[in-house]
Amino acid sequence: QKEVEQDPGPLSVPEGAIVSLICTYINIAFLYFMWYRQYSRKGPELLMYTYSSGNKEDGRFTAQVDKSSKYISLFIRDSQPSDSATYLCAMSASGTYKYIFGTGTRLKVLA
Amino acid sequence: ETGVTQTPRHLVMGMTNKKSLKCEQHLGHNAMYWYKQSAKKPLELMFVYSLEERVENNSVPSRFSPECPNSSHLFLHLHTLQPEDSALYLCASSPGQGPNTEAFFGQGTRLTVV
């Protein structure tokens, strides 16, 4: 079983839809959680960084962490065609530089 | 453009060649990383340097050799690579004096081994 599971997609939604992306994990020691967006032929761009549990909001993006159920979520409100990209989750335990990444979910927002 | 710059952007090399990838960060960060990204696989951490010292031990073939001459520059020296080493090689940096801070990535070097 992979340490971090992420549905590869593709996930296709109409413009304006609310998008929900999820990563599940098995290591209860993970405390730091990140979401990245990666456009084709580009490097990953950090979207959200959260510590431990709870929600974090930034514009149209909301990140949630549910440590009891061991999953994290990224919600995108009012999705735009420019949101079409691959979304990567990453997480790490305390005291390590090693981030564990999901395989990424490819999102397509249709105009 | 990001604060992490990688050169070259594309590289094609034969299995007997020696080449180097370069990364430079303009963010004043203390840690730098090399990651490998292959199709349909998660990013794999290869090497981490914090304040120019290598930290974290990861199992990476010796045909990949990192070098960190200062906190702003990171190199990946390549020799006698295999076709399965073809991938996107990403450099990243992170702030802070220790781990568990967010990483910022460069645009990557697309490597093709022929």
Side-chain angles (χ1 to χ4, degrees):
Chain A
Q1 188 178 3
K2 295 178 184 175
E3 277 197 272
V4 177
E5 294 276 3
Q6 191 175 6
D7 187 330
L11 174 64
S12 295
V13 300
E15 183 175 357
I18 296 175
V19 176
S20 172
L21 304 170
I22 291 176
C23 285
T24 61
Y25 62 94
I26 58 176
N27 187 346
I28 61 172
F30 286 149
L31 288 175
Y32 302 86
F33 304 93
M34 284 150 281
W35 285 97
Y36 289 87
R37 177 176 63 197
Q38 186 173 23
Y39 291 113
S40 181
R41 304 186 184 281
K42 301 284 188 181
E45 171 193 6
L46 180 67
L47 287 176
M48 303 288 275
Y49 173 76
T50 55
Y51 167 71
S52 195
S53 292
N55 294 359
K56 186 174 183 179
E57 188 173 322
D58 184 1
R60 296 185 294 112
F61 298 91
T62 299
Q64 289 184 348
V65 176
D66 187 330
K67 286 177 61 62
S68 61
S69 301
K70 292 184 286 186
Y71 74 90
I72 64 172
S73 307
L74 179 71
F75 297 95
I76 307 174
R77 290 182 298 281
D78 186 26
S79 56
Q80 303 295 309
S82 59
D83 294 326
S84 298
T86 297
Y87 290 79
L88 307 170
C89 63
M91 47 198 81
S92 72
S94 179
T96 175
Y97 288 90
K98 188 172 184 178
Y99 304 100
I100 306 298
F101 280 80
T103 51
T105 297
R106 195 151 66 98
L107 171 67
K108 295 181 181 179
V109 181
L110 307 172
Chain B
E1 284 298 324
T2 69
V4 180
T5 303
Q6 290 187 242
T7 54
R9 293 293 307 274
H10 302 274
L11 178 63
V12 179
M13 60 185 290
M15 289 190 283
T16 58
N17 292 158
K18 289 184 180 181
K19 296 285 184 183
S20 295
L21 310 185
K22 179 183 176 183
C23 177
E24 182 175 1
Q25 58 98 359
H26 317 277
L27 302 168
H29 289 172
N30 292 317
M32 296 188 76
Y33 310 71
W34 280 116
Y35 278 87
K36 177 183 179 182
Q37 188 175 34
S38 304
K40 302 188 188 302
K41 290 185 178 180
L43 268 72
E44 300 171 48
L45 179 64
M46 300 177 72
F47 304 103
V48 187
Y49 282 82
S50 176
L51 297 172
E52 301 152 48
E53 285 194 20
R54 186 169 161 186
V55 298
E56 303 274 354
N57 281 322
N58 294 291
S59 178
V60 179
S62 58
R63 57 186 183 268
F64 296 93
S65 175
E67 179 189 1
C68 187
N70 55 61
S71 60
S72 298
H73 292 86
L74 185 66
F75 295 88
L76 187 62
H77 303 300
L78 315 171
H79 66 97
T80 59
L81 294 191
Q82 304 298 311
E84 59 264 29
D85 297 321
S86 299
L88 182 66
Y89 287 85
L90 291 161
C91 175
S93 68
S94 63
Q97 294 293 326
N100 299 132
T101 56
E102 59 272 43
F104 295 85
F105 285 85
Q107 299 296 332
T109 295
R110 173 69 61 185
L111 173 67
T112 303
V113 181
V114 296

